[in-house]
Amino acid sequence: MIDPEAARAAGTLLRQAAEARRDAIVAFCQALVRIPSPPGSEGRAAECVLSAMHELGFDEAQADTWGNVVGVVAAGPDRRADAAVLLDAH
């Protein structure tokens, strides 16, 4: 079961981190949406996301055979093990 207080705290931290990086996030999103990626031809967009994950220091970042990009930031001494974010974009 999710602890509501932990969820609120994680949400606050996520919002603060996103606001601190607002310009970089907007620039990345603008670059990503400029990449043509019609159904069946999403490879360049996937590579863009995968590259960004590597640059950001994700513990794991890979594309599967279907072209889905999966990134993991593992829990550690300075990270909350009970806070997780899943982004699924189509």
Side-chain angles (χ1 to χ4, degrees), residues 62-78:
Q62 60 189 13
D64 66 16
T65 57
W66 292 94
N68 299 303
V69 177
V70 178
V72 174
V73 177
D78 60 339

Side-chain angles (χ1 to χ4, degrees), residues 14-84:
L14 184 59
R15 280 189 296 281
Q16 291 170 344
E19 187 56 39
R21 294 164 181 82
R22 185 179 196 285
D23 292 343
I25 293 168
V26 169
F28 171 74
C29 290
Q30 288 173 333
L32 182 60
V33 299
R34 286 187 182 108
I35 298 171
S37 56
S41 299
E42 300 92 344
R44 285 184 51 219
E47 283 298 320
C48 176
V49 173
L50 188 60
S51 176
M53 288 178 172
H54 287 295
E55 289 173 18
L56 290 167
F58 277 52
D59 296 306
E60 297 176 37
Q62 60 189 13
D64 66 16
T65 57
W66 292 94
N68 299 303
V69 177
V70 178
V72 174
V73 177
D78 60 339
R79 299 180 184 142
R80 292 179 49 141
D82 63 339

